[in-house]
Amino acid sequence: MKNNILNTALGMCLIGMIFLSACEEAAIPVSGNDTPIKLDTISFPVVNAIAYQSPPEMGKTSYLYFGKEDGYVFHYSLLQFDSISVTANTPFSSFNDSLIIVDSLSLSLRFDNDSIANDERFILRYFPDGGDSVFNELESNYLNFDRSIASEVISTGRMVVDSVDTNKTEVNLRFLMDPEIINAFMDTSVLAYNRSFLVELEDESSESFYFHSIELIEGTKPELTVFFRQFASDTVVLDTSSRNYQAVADLSMITSKPITHEDSTTLSVSIAKGLKSIVYVDMDGWELPPKAIVSSAEILFNRVEADTIETYKVISHPIISEGEYGQFSTFTNDPYDEDLNYFTTTEIIDNVITINHRQAATDIGHKNYTNFGFKLQSSFNNDPFQTVRFFGLNNSDYIPFMRVIYVIP
């Protein structure tokens, strides 16, 4: 029993020593009477690496953006509302009743500040012929979305200050709509009407305005309110009430600021600039022993900037097709689909990021998976307007590589 404990402890210590050792590809035997174990560590070079640009994907950011800021242009925002009321758990179809009269509708967005510096006017449109799905949070962008399918302006709105209590105020952008709009949402010929709207500034502005998105933790979701009267008979009003419907999808359409030389010559990631990077790790010819277990398969990247950075996470997946590494390119659609089965997210620590693709390396080593390379992109939890850059292959001191550590029982 004591020998087993000593052997286990020795094995754990040796695993820790491997991380500190510079001796690559050297097998370290760990043997005892009952627990024969061999540890191997091997490094694979990153032989191809490039950044590229595709349209910004803003559907999972914390805010809805309007106006302009630091070279970015925020064109308009799209919102889709739930069909079930959050206040009474009733669907839109419940208004399709001869004893219910809709008086008006209100759409509100929560402003990120508690005061109004400039009283801009906003306009509202909807999609009477948009079908059951007007936009996709993860795929729609300013290049592939046809805004001409939106209606004429159905309402104008301004921000108003609402007193929550004596110590707190809120600022909301609010639109009032005619009750006829509800008829489109209750169209019995459409099984799942889109309930989507387009919001934009009435006039071009050099300023920026942030409103809460559905993604903002502890934020206030965009809300659609229906005010109505319910009759007990044709002449007797039973109740005057309202129902609230919260947004289930929202997205800001933006165009990014110009790409810099540093963006295109390093491995860059940014949401608002649409920057992502791909790298190819040369693992050709490597075969993992049948019973081997990969404990880690880490690709190490060094950040170009030397300044400190607040919490910043990078998402990585294997890509499912060959990458083009000749030069920095801009695409109208992201050409590199990810394998979502191998998702990993990692935080930058001391300006270094270590991405562990243990499962992907295991399957590649066992010849169960084709290695096309890996994609790097910004987590949606990051500041969408922050660009982070890592050294690629043009700096011999910081060339990224993958280190695989595995155990052979």
Side-chain angles (χ1 to χ4, degrees), residues 63-309:
Y63 295 96
L64 299 173
Y65 305 93
F66 299 88
K68 296 179 180 179
E69 181 179 315
D70 190 31
Y72 295 98
V73 179
F74 312 129
H75 300 287
Y76 53 88
S77 290
L78 302 170
L79 304 100
Q80 181 179 5
F81 290 88
D82 199 351
S83 63
I84 304 298
S85 169
V86 70
T87 49
N89 199 35
T90 54
F92 264 103
S93 59
S94 64
F95 296 110
N96 193 16
D97 187 328
S98 60
L99 294 178
I100 294 180
I101 302 297
V102 174
D103 293 314
S104 65
L105 293 86
S106 172
L107 189 154
S108 64
L109 301 178
R110 172 73 180 277
F111 190 44
D112 191 47
N113 295 328
D114 57 6
S115 61
I116 304 172
N118 291 301
D119 189 14
E120 297 281 355
R121 286 168 58 94
F122 293 77
I123 57 178
L124 181 70
R125 307 173 193 269
Y126 80 122
F127 298 90
D129 303 313
D132 63 353
S133 180
V134 172
F135 67 97
N136 183 302
E137 276 189 312
L138 297 180
E139 298 178 3
S140 297
N141 59 67
Y142 73 98
L143 292 177
N144 63 21
F145 182 79
D146 182 10
R147 75 183 303 277
S148 68
I149 66 173
S151 70
E152 297 296 323
V153 176
I154 60 172
S155 181
T156 59
R158 293 184 182 273
M159 288 183 279
V160 296
V161 178
D162 296 324
S163 296
V164 178
D165 53 44
T166 56
N167 298 316
K168 183 179 179 181
T169 60
E170 294 179 354
V171 177
N172 292 284
L173 172 61
R174 188 168 292 121
F175 298 94
L176 290 178
M177 291 170 273
D178 292 333
E180 287 76 13
I181 299 299
I182 198 70
N183 295 328
F185 295 151
M186 296 187 304
D187 188 345
T188 56
S189 67
V190 181
L191 296 178
Y193 195 82
N194 61 75
R195 298 175 306 282
S196 297
F197 294 89
L198 184 152
V199 181
E200 62 187 325
L201 281 163
E202 184 176 53
D203 299 311
E204 187 175 298
S205 174
S206 59
E207 297 182 60
S208 61
F209 303 88
Y210 290 25
F211 294 87
H212 291 194
S213 164
I214 63 173
E215 309 297 336
L216 182 62
I217 299 175
E218 298 182 358
T220 301
K221 291 185 178 183
E223 195 166 68
L224 180 67
T225 304
V226 180
F227 300 94
F228 65 94
R229 287 169 291 157
Q230 186 169 4
F231 288 76
S233 64
D234 291 342
T235 58
V236 179
V237 177
L238 178 66
D239 189 23
T240 299
S241 188
S242 64
R243 296 284 185 268
N244 295 335
Y245 299 83
Q246 291 188 337
V248 292
D250 54 22
L251 166 68
S252 289
M253 293 293 190
I254 80 168
T255 50
S256 68
K257 64 190 300 184
I259 296 299
T260 67
H261 176 73
E262 290 77 13
D263 294 335
S264 62
T265 56
T266 60
L267 301 180
S268 307
V269 294
S270 170
I271 296 175
K273 279 190 175 183
L275 290 171
K276 304 170 187 175
S277 295
I278 54 173
V279 299
Y280 181 76
V281 181
D282 186 2
M283 305 172 73
D284 294 351
W286 176 60
E287 187 168 348
L288 195 62
K291 294 183 179 180
I293 300 172
V294 174
S295 61
S296 65
E298 298 176 332
I299 313 177
L300 282 75
F301 298 92
N302 288 270
R303 184 168 170 248
V304 173
E305 294 84 3
D307 61 320
T308 57
I309 186 172

Side-chain angles (χ1 to χ4, degrees), residues 266-267 299-305 348-354 376 388-392 395 397-401:
T266 60
L267 301 180
I299 313 177
L300 282 75
F301 298 92
N302 288 270
R303 184 168 170 248
V304 173
E305 294 84 3
I348 297 175
I349 299 176
D350 294 331
N351 285 328
V352 175
I353 191 163
T354 305
L376 281 64
V388 171
R389 306 171 184 88
F390 301 96
F391 288 108
N395 188 308
D397 294 329
Y398 299 105
I399 292 178
F401 65 96

Side-chain angles (χ1 to χ4, degrees), residues 23-39:
C23 299
E24 303 290 346
E25 302 188 13
I28 302 177
V30 179
S31 61
N33 295 332
D34 302 316
T35 57
I37 293 176
K38 185 169 69 173
L39 301 174

